[in-house]
């Protein structure tokens, strides 16, 4: 069997997505997500101009060899563009292999380790009252785990707070700018979680994303101040380039820490995991080299009782979500999966077998990862350039968004 054709589909049904389709000479095909929010066309070009010519004629069943060929063979290793491109190839090849086997992907990975994948929803509001209400709505829908984000008094355009029905940080035109104040946020965050616990009790798992905005000692203070509200995790409390920083956070708080949505390889998280500086690893199928590499990360994490909590915002396409749900169904050290609902246009372009049931998601039983792309419909939504925002302090200093 040979790879006969491969091509990239860029579409924007509600937001931009990049998809790789690999077609074999026996007619079986697979699809992989290659979306890198705000930098989409760089991955599309990396695939079209540099990767696809190397794929034609290869045996699509040699997933490991193709992964190694693309990783080692480029000489230039790692990075979000490279690893998203490799991820797209890898996801499409696993899709093909599972279709050939006539099995849902989780079976090929080793079968079910659980009956359903616990997912967390995004409750966000402009203020405490609205966020508390949103949490209530998700509890009503059956979610067992809910991330709470709220507007902070005195700050406009805080990360995680929706302008419309669907939260989407990327905007058309040049990057939007917002002003950040750590002081205002640190005073406010414990009040938000106190209000959520007072209204909804200690039952639901609560999560919170700090989105890389604090220094290590500030993160320690935040974690300590949130301890009474027993968070499931505090996410990205500080940028993770300097991994020693997490030791300092650990010295001050037992609030669990989740990191990794911007990581691309096992090398980005090796020290954090081996030194037990985090509790959840948030790497995703699309940004960390596909199923093949995610397995390596999860196996390393398992040695240190670090569990998975994969990134699953709306800029990760339904194809990534489908592949992630098969992975989550198998992976022994699963923690939780992020789930942000896609808009109806996105769902229509990417027909999928996965579904939500009472707080859990199920990957479906169709052979492959169970997600396809309707190319005719996709062609109706041309690429729409958009950027992620940037944040500045009140004096204009560029900060972490
Ligand atoms: O979902 C999350 O936890 C995020 O932090 C979302 C990111 O900001 C988003 O995926 C960036 O494209
Ligand atoms: Mg995040």
């Amino acid at each position: 069997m040979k790879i006969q054709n491969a091509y990239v589909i860029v579409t924007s049904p509600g937001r931009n997505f990049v998809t790789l389709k690999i077609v074999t000479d026996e007619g079986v095909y697979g699809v992989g997500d290659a979306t890198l929010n705000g930098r989409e066309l760089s991955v599309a070009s990396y695939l079209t101009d540099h990767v696809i010519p190397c794929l034609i004629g290869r045996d699509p069943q040699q997933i490991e060899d193709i992964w190694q060929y693309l990783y080692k063979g480029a000489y230039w290793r790692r990075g979000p563009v490279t690893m998203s491109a490799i991820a797209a190839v890898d996801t499409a090849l696993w899709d093909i292999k599972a279709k050939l086997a006539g099995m849902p992907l989780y079976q090929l990975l080793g079968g079910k380790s659980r009956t359903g994948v616990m997912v967390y929803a995004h409750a966000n509001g402009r203020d405490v009252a609205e966020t508390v209400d949103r949490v209530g709505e998700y509890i009503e829908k059956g979610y067992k785990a809910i991330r709470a984000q709220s507007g902070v008094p005195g700050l406009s355009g805080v990360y995680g707070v929706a302008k419309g029905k669907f939260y989407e940080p990327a905007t058309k035109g040049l990057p939007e700018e917002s002003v950040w104040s750590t002081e205002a946020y640190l005073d406010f965050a414990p009040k938000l979680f106190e209000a959520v616990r007072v209204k909804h009790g200690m039952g639901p798992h609560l999560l919170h994303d700090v989105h890389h905005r604090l220094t290590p000692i500030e993160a320690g203070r935040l974690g300590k101040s949130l301890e009474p509200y027993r968070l499931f995790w505090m996410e990205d409390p500080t940028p993770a380039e300097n991994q020693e920083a997490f030791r300092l956070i650990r010295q001050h708080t037992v609030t669990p820490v989740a990191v990794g949505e911007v990581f691309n390889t096992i090398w980005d998280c090796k020290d954090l995991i081996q030194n037990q500086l985090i509790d959840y690893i948030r790497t995703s199928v699309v940004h960390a080299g596909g199923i093949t590499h995610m397995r390596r990360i999860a196996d390393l994490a398992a040695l240190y009782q670090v569990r998975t909590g994969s990134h699953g915002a709306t800029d990760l396409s339904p194809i990534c979500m489908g592949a992630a749900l098969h992975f989550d169904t198998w992976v022994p050290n699963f923690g939780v999966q992020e789930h942000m609902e896609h808009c109806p246009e996105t769902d229509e372009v990417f027909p999928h077998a996965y579904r939500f049931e009472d707080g859990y998601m199920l990957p479906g039983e169709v052979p492959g990862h169970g997600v396809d792309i309707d190319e005719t419909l996709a062609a109706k939504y041309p690429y729409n350039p958009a950027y992620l925002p940037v944040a500045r302090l009140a004096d204009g200093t560029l900060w972490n968004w």
Side-chain angles (χ1 to χ4, degrees):
M1 179 179 286
K2 285 187 168 45
I3 296 176
Q4 190 171 59
N5 189 15
Y7 53 96
V8 172
I9 304 152
V10 181
T11 179
S12 192
R15 67 160 352 280
N16 293 316
F17 293 111
V18 179
T19 303
L20 174 70
K21 182 162 178 172
I22 298 181
V23 185
T24 68
D25 58 356
E26 295 186 15
V28 181
Y29 67 88
V31 289
D33 182 19
T35 310
L36 186 62
N37 203 4
R39 294 291 186 271
E40 296 86 3
L41 298 185
S42 57
V43 190
S45 158
Y46 192 86
L47 281 166
T48 305
D49 299 326
H50 306 291
V51 171
I52 289 173
C54 303
L55 292 178
I56 307 302
R58 285 182 191 279
D59 180 352
Q61 297 179 96
Q62 293 186 1
I63 299 178
E64 186 66 51
D65 184 65
I66 291 177
W67 196 97
Q68 299 294 338
Y69 185 88
L70 295 175
Y71 184 81
K72 294 177 179 157
Y75 183 65
W76 311 107
R77 298 187 184 195
R78 306 162 63 190
V81 175
T82 309
M83 297 310 291
S84 301
I86 294 178
V89 174
D90 189 77
T91 307
L93 294 180
W94 277 103
D95 193 23
I96 290 172
K97 196 181 264 303
K99 282 176 178 170
L100 291 172
M103 289 178 184
L105 177 56
Y106 74 80
Q107 288 290 12
L108 210 55
L109 293 173
K112 282 188 186 179
S113 296
R114 56 197 51 79
T115 51
V117 173
M118 183 171 78
V119 288
Y120 71 87
H122 279 220
N124 59 71
R126 283 164 298 181
D127 53 25
V128 171
E130 209 172 81
T131 307
V132 169
D133 286 351
R134 290 284 113 76
V135 171
E137 286 165 20
Y138 281 112
I139 293 171
E140 287 282 301
K141 287 184 184 170
Y143 281 88
K144 319 284 178 235
I146 299 155
R147 182 185 105 153
Q149 306 290 138
S150 168
V152 177
L155 298 183
S156 61
V158 171
Y159 163 77
V161 180
K163 289 184 194 126
K165 182 171 187 295
F166 294 93
Y167 174 65
E168 174 51 68
T171 50
K172 317 292 168 235
L174 291 174
E176 275 187 0
E177 300 205 0
S178 57
V179 176
W180 174 250
S181 160
T182 295
E183 295 75 16
Y185 168 75
L186 282 179
D187 282 343
F188 173 77
K191 293 178 192 143
L192 169 67
F193 282 92
E194 182 182 17
V196 175
R197 284 301 188 204
V198 165
K199 176 76 182 181
H200 300 296
M202 296 305 282
H205 294 304
L206 294 182
L207 300 83
H208 183 64
D209 192 348
V210 188
H211 222 255
H212 325 269
R213 289 175 177 208
L214 301 179
T215 64
I217 196 68
E218 289 163 351
R221 179 177 146 205
L222 176 70
K224 204 167 170 176
S225 69
L226 294 176
E227 279 172 14
Y229 314 113
R230 311 242 185 84
L231 262 58
F232 187 91
W233 79 36
M234 159 174 91
E235 176 182 332
D236 288 331
T238 197
E241 287 99 326
N242 170 20
Q243 310 211 334
E244 271 298 304
F246 286 79
R247 195 181 300 283
L248 200 137
I249 299 172
R250 279 291 206 228
Q251 283 162 355
H252 291 281
T253 181
V254 291
T255 294
V257 174
V259 171
E261 68 182 39
V262 300
F263 291 172
N264 318 121
T265 70
I266 198 166
W267 300 102
D268 300 324
C269 46
K270 173 182 146 297
D271 293 346
L272 283 176
I273 291 171
Q274 288 181 332
N275 293 317
Q276 303 189 102
L277 299 179
I278 58 170
D279 303 281
Y280 296 92
I281 179 67
R282 276 182 52 69
T283 42
S284 65
V285 170
V286 55
H287 298 137
I291 297 279
T292 297
H293 199 61
M294 280 287 281
R295 281 213 296 200
R296 304 233 144 91
I297 295 173
D299 282 344
L300 174 69
L303 301 181
Y304 299 92
Q305 298 192 47
V306 172
R307 295 192 283 162
T308 65
S310 285
H311 186 204
T314 38
D315 49 294
L316 285 67
S317 93
I319 295 174
C320 178
M321 179 52 98
L325 291 170
H326 284 271
F327 181 81
D328 297 335
T329 298
W330 158 74
V331 70
N333 49 324
F334 171 74
V336 73
Q337 167 69 48
E338 181 176 15
H339 174 228
M340 264 176 101
E341 291 151 287
H342 286 111
C343 69
E345 292 87 348
T346 300
D347 280 338
E348 243 189 310
V349 167
F350 296 96
H352 49 266
Y354 61 76
R355 64 182 197 279
F356 174 83
E357 247 179 56
D358 196 28
Y360 297 90
M361 287 193 67
L362 307 167
E365 296 298 322
V366 306
H369 57 47
V371 188
D372 208 340
I373 180 164
D374 179 335
E375 292 181 64
T376 314
L377 200 52
K380 294 191 177 146
Y381 297 101
Y383 179 63
N384 213 336
Y387 284 97
L388 286 170
V390 297
R392 291 185 188 272
L393 302 182
D395 69 357
T397 306
L398 197 79
W399 200 244
N400 305 303
W401 171 68

